[in-house]
């Protein structure tokens, strides 16, 4: 199937067929708390004169709302509409996997045997259908990053020559923009990836400027105007500080006697210190960072200074907190 002219379509179809049983058993799909909040925002904004909040990317909120709410309200069949959304999400995710396999086989020449291993893994590992049946921003943007990563690998493999092809250039720009729109840290993923090519790539550097400039114009030119026009409430800074907050919480848990009065006061402006140690969950930052911003911008600047000082005193706590946050990639405990 990897040599077929229609290999991407064929692989996508086979992946979807293999996911049918778990998707049916998990009908209509799983909503997480974030999704309920986003749909509530969308309904309030479109029907009741409410406001959007940038706690989650507003693009995700609008996409979820547009694809689910109008059809569900018109038909009264919420379960069916949610399941149709899950099927669409599954199709796009399967398509991204098929695109990756096709690329690895034809451009990286990994061979039939390894391509088959990848194909079987995508079909049979329960992680994938369990993910795509989740109606959430995470499942919404995951397949986009697969497309971006594959095209980014091709930029590296070809020393940037592939970007002289208008189709590839447009694809990279579109997926780079979607990465930025669907995930808060997406801009940093795209920016540092493209900047690394710009710095270390000796050929065709000018071509990489097109996607780089595009995401800059989007994030710092267009999106601020959109948020202003829609009167979007800014999200809290705590969302960007999940990892340092986890490190601080572990530090306080393990070295509470080592926290000075001045450090206690600085940290308490952005995190509630009273029960910080007991709220620390090694694999989940939500109990520590909470769901709202505490403190001003200057408070965060002072916090970072304390964070650096404490990290130099006890780097072992920071390393442990970092590893715990990544445990989902290598631990079977959950």
């Amino acid at each position: 199937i990897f040599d077929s002219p229609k290999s991407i379509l064929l692989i996508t179809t086979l992946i979807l067929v293999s996911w049918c049983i778990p998707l049916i058993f998990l009908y209509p799909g799983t909503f997480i708390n974030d999704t309920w909040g986003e749909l509530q925002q969308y309904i309030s904004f479109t029907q009741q004169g409410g406001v959007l909040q940038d706690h989650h990317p507003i693009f995700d909120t609008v996409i979820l709302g547009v694809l689910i709410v109008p059809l569900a309200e018109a038909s009264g069949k919420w379960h069916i509409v949610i399941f149709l959304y899950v099927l669409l999400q599954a199709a796009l995710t399967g398509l991204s996997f098929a695109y990756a396999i096709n690329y690895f086989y034809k451009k990286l020449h990994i061979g039939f045997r390894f391509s088959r291993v990848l194909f079987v893994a995508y079909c049979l590992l329960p992680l994938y259908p369990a993910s795509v049946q989740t109606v959430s921003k995470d499942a919404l943007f995951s397949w986009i990053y697969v497309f971006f990563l594959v095209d980014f690998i091709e930029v590296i493999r070809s020393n940037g020559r592939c970007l002289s092809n208008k189709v590839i250039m447009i694809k990279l720009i579109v997926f780079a923009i979607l990465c930025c729109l669907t995930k808060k840290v997406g801009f940093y993923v795209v920016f540092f990836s493209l900047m690394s090519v710009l710095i270390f790539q000796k050929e065709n550097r000018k071509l990489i400027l097109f996607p780089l400039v595009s995401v800059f114009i989007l994030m710092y030119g267009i999106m601020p105007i959109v948020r202003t026009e829609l009167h979007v409430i800014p999200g809290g800074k705590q969302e960007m500080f999940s990892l340092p907050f986890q490190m601080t919480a572990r530090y306080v848990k393990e070295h509470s006697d080592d926290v000075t009065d001045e450090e206690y006061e600085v940290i308490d402006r952005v995190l509630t210190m009273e029960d910080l140690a007991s709220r620390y969950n090694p694999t989940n930052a939500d109990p520590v960072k909470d769901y709202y911003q505490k403190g001003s911008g200057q408070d965060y600047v002072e916090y970072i200074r304390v964070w650096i000082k404490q990290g130099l005193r006890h780097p072992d706590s920071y390393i442990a907190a970092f590893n715990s946050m990544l445990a989902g990639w290598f631990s079977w405990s959950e």
Side-chain angles (χ1 to χ4, degrees), residues 39-51:
L39 290 184
Q40 184 181 29
Q41 271 192 55
Y42 177 82
I43 293 172
S44 173
F45 178 73
T46 57
Q47 301 177 15
Q48 302 161 8
V51 295

Side-chain angles (χ1 to χ4, degrees), residues 252-271:
V252 172
K253 186 179 182 69
E254 295 178 348
H255 308 286
S256 58
D257 295 338
D258 198 29
V259 180
T260 67
D261 292 341
E262 180 185 357
E263 290 173 348
Y264 185 102
E265 183 180 343
V266 170
I267 296 171
D268 193 52
R269 292 180 196 142
V270 296
L271 291 171

Side-chain angles (χ1 to χ4, degrees), residues 19-31 79 82-83 86 126-135:
W19 290 351
C20 278
I21 292 178
L23 290 182
I24 291 172
F25 271 90
L26 293 168
Y27 173 90
T30 303
F31 269 40
H79 284 74
I82 291 169
F83 189 61
V86 166
L127 166 70
Y128 300 117
S131 173
V132 299
Q133 66 84 40
T134 306
V135 183

Side-chain angles (χ1 to χ4, degrees), residues 85-99:
Y85 174 87
V86 166
L87 292 179
L88 174 62
Q89 190 162 258
L92 292 170
T93 305
L95 180 64
S96 71
F97 291 163
Y99 182 74

Side-chain angles (χ1 to χ4, degrees), residues 155-172:
V155 170
I156 297 173
R157 188 195 71 85
S158 67
N159 289 321
R161 289 188 299 274
C162 67
L163 293 177
S164 59
N165 183 315
K166 290 183 180 179
V167 174
I168 295 177
M169 174 67 82
I170 292 172
K171 278 198 304 177
L172 184 66

Side-chain angles (χ1 to χ4, degrees), residues 47-67:
Q47 301 177 15
Q48 302 161 8
V51 295
L52 294 173
Q53 184 180 27
D54 201 24
H55 178 73
H56 307 293
I58 58 172
F59 185 80
D60 294 345
T61 300
V62 171
I63 289 296
L64 288 170
V66 167
L67 292 179

Side-chain angles (χ1 to χ4, degrees), residues 237 269-270 293-303:
K237 286 184 173 62
R269 292 180 196 142
V270 296
Q293 178 179 329
K294 183 183 178 187
S296 65
Q298 183 59 36
D299 292 331
Y300 278 83
V301 173
E302 294 177 8
Y303 161 74

